Amino acid sequence: MRISTRLAVAAVAATAVLAPSAAAASASSSEPTADDTVRYMYYSDYQYNESITYFDADNDIQTMENPKLPSYSSEKGWYSGSLTVTSRSTYQLASSSIQTSGYRAACRVYVNGTLISSDSATGRYAVAVC
């Protein structure tokens, strides 16, 4: 079941993209391109999780198995971590997902500091897709 869930997450992440633009690098949060910054934020009730999937600076989809979220907030009961890429692509894809090993997962995607997507999910091995 986990393998099929991961494949579904990758398929959703691969299709949940921003529309391309013909413009040169313009620091647009709605249509990121070369030199724009994409920051992926992840949250979970477990420190070690099933997987994280994201698009790197070259628009290649990457999957990390058993990623560790390094920070913990005792107030919120969340572990968190982030990845930041500076695009090297004319049409930067900016979407991501996390599958928790626990019961709560959330993610956020920022482009040039502007929140463009967020999601949260609950339930055993929950998947959040942004």
Side-chain angles (χ1 to χ4, degrees), residues 42-52 64-73 77-82 98-105 124:
Y42 305 100
Y43 306 89
S44 173
D45 57 336
Y46 273 51
Q47 185 171 28
Y48 289 90
N49 291 276
E50 296 298 307
S51 65
I52 287 177
M64 295 187 296
E65 301 292 329
N66 303 311
K68 177 183 178 183
L69 299 179
S71 300
Y72 182 71
S73 170
W78 287 101
Y79 287 91
S80 63
S82 68
I98 179 172
Q99 181 178 11
T100 183
S101 295
Y103 295 89
R104 296 185 303 149
R124 188 70 175 141

Side-chain angles (χ1 to χ4, degrees), residues 37-112:
T37 301
V38 179
R39 184 174 184 207
Y40 302 107
M41 299 285 303
Y42 305 100
Y43 306 89
S44 173
D45 57 336
Y46 273 51
Q47 185 171 28
Y48 289 90
N49 291 276
E50 296 298 307
S51 65
I52 287 177
T53 302
Y54 67 99
F55 287 97
D56 68 14
D58 296 311
N59 275 335
D60 292 326
I61 196 163
Q62 301 294 326
T63 300
M64 295 187 296
E65 301 292 329
N66 303 311
K68 177 183 178 183
L69 299 179
S71 300
Y72 182 71
S73 170
S74 58
E75 285 181 21
K76 298 180 182 179
W78 287 101
Y79 287 91
S80 63
S82 68
L83 290 167
T84 302
V85 299
T86 301
S87 176
R88 292 187 292 259
S89 178
T90 304
Y91 306 109
Q92 179 64 43
L93 305 176
S95 64
S96 187
S97 66
I98 179 172
Q99 181 178 11
T100 183
S101 295
Y103 295 89
R104 296 185 303 149
C107 58
R108 295 181 185 157
V109 179
Y110 294 86
V111 174
N112 300 322

